[in-house]
Amino acid sequence: MLQSISKSLSSLLSQSSRTIQNQWNQTRHMSKFLPKSEAKRLPLSTKHARKGFYKGKGATKEGTFRGKAGRFVIDGERQVELIIPDLTGFKLKPYIAKTVSKWAPEESRAV
């Protein structure tokens, strides 16, 4: 009786070890040759898009999408903080008109 039980246990253990080994051997590997349906689901990059595709310059996200409607909630800690100096008494103007000559007036008189 004990011998028959031990034989059945040993056979069960050997079968279970074989199935575990088969499961380890059957790992799925990513192939570079994907079917079209799977290739559509991959993230789009500049290498897989047509000419002129521009993905962005890696800007930081200033918030997150929340809820089912996907409302954008701005996070104050993520916002860009611009430090602008005080420009009172600054002589230069921010823009240059197209009508301004390329040479200073003093140089044009000397010629």
Side-chain angles (χ1 to χ4, degrees), residues 5-6 13 15 18 20 24 28 30 45 50 53 55-56 77 82 104 106 108:
I5 293 174
S6 66
L13 288 174
Q15 288 175 356
R18 276 188 236 135
I20 290 173
W24 281 104
R28 185 172 180 205
M30 186 70 176
S45 69
R50 292 185 180 238
F53 177 74
K55 193 167 184 176
E77 293 180 0
L82 299 175
E106 297 85 23
S108 61

Side-chain angles (χ1 to χ4, degrees), residues 21-37:
Q21 287 176 351
N22 287 341
Q23 288 175 353
W24 281 104
N25 292 337
Q26 293 177 358
T27 57
R28 185 172 180 205
H29 298 287
M30 186 70 176
S31 173
K32 65 178 184 177
F33 304 108
L34 294 173
K36 191 172 185 181
S37 61

Side-chain angles (χ1 to χ4, degrees), residues 74-86:
I74 296 175
D75 187 6
E77 293 180 0
R78 291 183 178 181
Q79 279 188 327
V80 177
E81 183 180 341
L82 299 175
I83 301 170
I84 302 169
D86 185 24

